[in-house]
Amino acid sequence: MRKKYAPEHVMIRDGVYYYVRHIPYDLASIYSVTRLCFSLKTKSLKAAIRTSKSVTQRLEDYWLGLRLQNMDIPAIQVVKSGDTNVNDTLRLSEACELYLRLKGVGKDKVFIRTANRNTGYVTKLLGDRPIGSYSSNEAAKFRDWCIEQGMGIKTVKRVFSSIRAIVNLAIAEEGLDCSNAFAKTYFPDDDNAQVRQPISIQDIRRVQSLCRDTDDEMRWLIALISDTGMRLGEAAGLLKEDIKVNEPIPYVDLKPHPWRTLKTKGSQRLIPLTKEALWASERLLKANNDSIFAFPRYCDERSCKANSASGGLNKWLHQYVPDNCVIHSFRHSLRDRLRAVECPSDIVDAIGGWKTSGIGHGYGNGYPLEVLQRWMKRIRTALLGKLLSFGPTGILTW
């Protein structure tokens, strides 16, 4: 029996013809589906073919218009400034001011400095021009310039992310009819990027022992981070009142402060204090009676000097840990230590302040402190019978 003819983009279901077509790859971002499928409202093959051709033509015309909108204007660099409305848009420096006025409220000096610095990079190479006048070709030149300055690919991506956010906000707020030249720049793979390694449990125990021997503010900070997995800025910006050592379950009440914000909403959390973290907390609370800050060396009412702390702490730490291990590596290690005792991933995320996927995880008040403490204690008691070690790939093994 001869196979029935199937016209392009037409399918039949329960006797009714449908139009079916995949979304082109370059336009996928504007659709919420990957394939169009809708009824042509006819049971006649001839009518279905005629209607599908009309739909196809209308779609092609619409998609062509979208593609033309995203194209750079040819030879825009030779157009006189008075002959095009592209120069009616905000200059990049003005877009940065708008961005900081709207987004900079409550942010620390690092946020403001980063936005101004990244904007300055662009204006240094390409000039302070209307944001609609930059082309994708110039964005690519800016990428190459950043790499030539010695920036790693990850750093360059962060610079572009900042510039994209500044330009996008200006376009949206001002209702500008222009594209963001920095939105689709290609970035090559960074084969030379160094991967941060977790610190082995043997080295953690060694560093913690040295912290007890030295017993000063820098070592208290390292010991606190080593058994809580806090980010350096989170720990350095603590108030003494954030540290609850006299509660039935000692813990850190990690929350944002004017001098130190948190990275994400999920970063605000309660962290049980065990072993070395508890020792460090007790020592710093006894020592700093004349300051409200847990680490006054690195923090005051105006700012938290996490970058300054990082330099000094890593300089000392490098003597006792392998290459590519830094203060942030304790955070990687904590996640591996919790994995090793088969801690559920959502509890791991709750302890470390990592984002947990899924809408349901945003409901309720989270895990009780005693549940978090039970798993934090397990990573300590697991060492009593067996010695944890990290293999050459950074994976925990027994």
Side-chain angles (χ1 to χ4, degrees):
M1 184 174 180
R2 186 177 179 184
K3 187 176 180 180
K4 189 174 182 180
Y5 168 69
E8 187 179 19
H9 307 314
V10 175
M11 63 172 275
I12 187 169
R13 181 190 300 164
D14 298 330
V16 178
Y17 287 95
Y18 285 75
Y19 186 87
V20 180
R21 187 170 185 182
H22 286 282
I23 304 298
Y25 177 79
D26 61 324
L27 301 175
S29 62
I30 69 171
Y31 283 89
S32 60
V33 295
T34 59
R35 189 183 71 155
L36 299 177
C37 182
F38 52 86
S39 174
L40 294 174
K41 299 180 180 179
T42 181
K43 294 185 178 181
S44 167
L45 177 59
K46 288 184 178 180
I49 293 173
R50 185 170 59 253
T51 305
S52 70
K53 287 182 178 178
S54 176
V55 171
T56 296
Q57 186 60 53
R58 293 194 66 184
L59 277 174
E60 293 291 351
D61 292 343
Y62 174 61
W63 287 344
L64 176 61
L66 292 177
R67 291 184 174 109
L68 289 174
Q69 288 178 20
N70 291 327
M71 288 178 60
D72 292 325
I73 300 174
I76 187 63
Q77 66 274 13
V78 298
V79 176
K80 292 182 179 180
S81 60
D83 295 340
T84 177
N85 61 4
V86 75
N87 288 287
D88 293 336
T89 64
L90 293 177
R91 294 184 178 276
L92 185 58
S93 60
E94 295 171 329
C96 183
E97 292 174 3
L98 174 65
Y99 180 80
L100 292 176
R101 188 168 73 248
L102 297 178
K103 293 275 192 175
V105 178
K107 298 296 177 66
D108 56 20
K109 292 192 296 185
V110 175
F111 178 87
I112 298 171
R113 184 172 65 241
T114 299
N116 284 322
R117 181 191 62 209
N118 293 335
T119 302
Y121 288 155
V122 178
T123 57
K124 179 179 180 180
L125 180 69
L126 304 176
D128 184 17
R129 293 159 34 198
I131 57 176
S133 70
Y134 296 107
S135 68
S136 58
N137 180 53
E138 290 177 316
K141 289 180 180 178
F142 177 61
R143 173 205 60 206
D144 295 339
W145 178 83
C146 290
I147 295 172
E148 290 171 1
Q149 304 310 302
M151 300 183 196
I153 294 299
K154 288 185 177 180
T155 302
V156 177
K157 287 182 178 179
R158 286 195 294 269
V159 171
F160 267 76
S161 178
S162 174
I163 297 299
R164 276 198 304 271
I166 291 170
V167 175
N168 281 337
L169 182 68
I171 291 173
E173 285 292 313
E174 298 294 317
L176 303 177
D177 185 17
C178 63
S179 61
N180 188 343
F182 302 89
K184 297 181 180 180
T185 307
Y186 171 79
F187 297 97
D189 294 331
D190 188 1
D191 296 329
N192 298 320
Q194 293 183 336
V195 179
R196 281 177 179 160
Q197 295 295 323
I199 303 174
S200 71
I201 196 62
Q202 294 96 332
D203 288 328
I204 290 176
R205 296 291 293 275
R206 181 187 181 197
V207 168
Q208 289 175 340
S209 177
L210 291 167
C211 287
R212 282 183 177 263
D213 292 340
T214 307
D215 195 16
D216 63 6
E217 186 175 346
M218 288 180 67
R219 261 49 64 168
W220 299 334
L221 181 52
I222 292 174
L224 178 62
I225 292 171
S226 71
D227 266 350
T228 60
M230 279 192 286
R231 300 175 179 92
L232 176 56
E234 292 175 342
L238 289 171
L239 288 174
K240 287 195 294 185
E241 66 181 30
D242 295 333
I243 304 173
K244 319 290 186 178
V245 297
N246 296 320
E247 298 294 325
I249 299 178
Y251 68 95
V252 169
D253 182 8
L254 185 58
K255 54 192 175 185
H257 291 298
W259 52 88
R260 188 264 288 130
T261 57
L262 297 180
K263 186 174 183 180
T264 64
K265 276 184 146 183
S267 297
Q268 184 168 340
R269 60 197 187 277
L270 304 181
I271 309 172
L273 292 169
T274 59
K275 199 60 177 178
E276 304 306 321
L278 181 58
W279 167 81
S281 298
E282 292 171 340
R283 292 294 298 139
L284 67 90
L285 289 177
K286 290 178 181 177
N288 297 329
N289 293 325
D290 58 343
S291 175
I292 63 172
F293 296 97
F295 300 98
R297 177 173 182 169
Y298 303 117
C299 195
D300 56 37
E301 292 86 351
R302 297 182 300 278
S303 64
C304 177
K305 306 176 183 67
N307 289 337
S308 175
S310 176
L313 297 178
N314 282 323
K315 183 177 181 180
W316 180 82
L317 190 63
H318 284 160
Q319 306 172 74
Y320 308 109
V321 296
D323 293 340
N324 296 333
C325 288
V326 293
I327 194 72
H328 194 74
S329 297
F330 286 117
R331 185 166 168 80
H332 292 249
S333 299
L334 180 72
R335 193 169 186 100
D336 273 343
R337 290 163 72 186
L338 288 166
R339 286 190 186 112
V341 294
E342 300 179 349
C343 179
S345 61
D346 51 345
I347 295 181
V348 174
D349 293 337
I351 292 172
W354 289 287
K355 183 178 181 181
T356 301
S357 60
I359 297 176
H361 292 287
Y363 295 118
N365 294 322
Y367 285 96
L369 194 58
E370 54 267 23
V371 173
L372 304 180
Q373 185 198 42
R374 184 162 66 246
W375 286 102
M376 292 294 282
K377 282 187 173 181
R378 281 194 187 183
I379 66 176
R380 304 290 313 182
T381 56
L383 300 178
L384 297 178
K386 298 179 180 180
L387 181 63
L388 287 169
S389 63
F390 285 89
T393 60
I395 299 176
L396 273 166
T397 57
W398 292 103

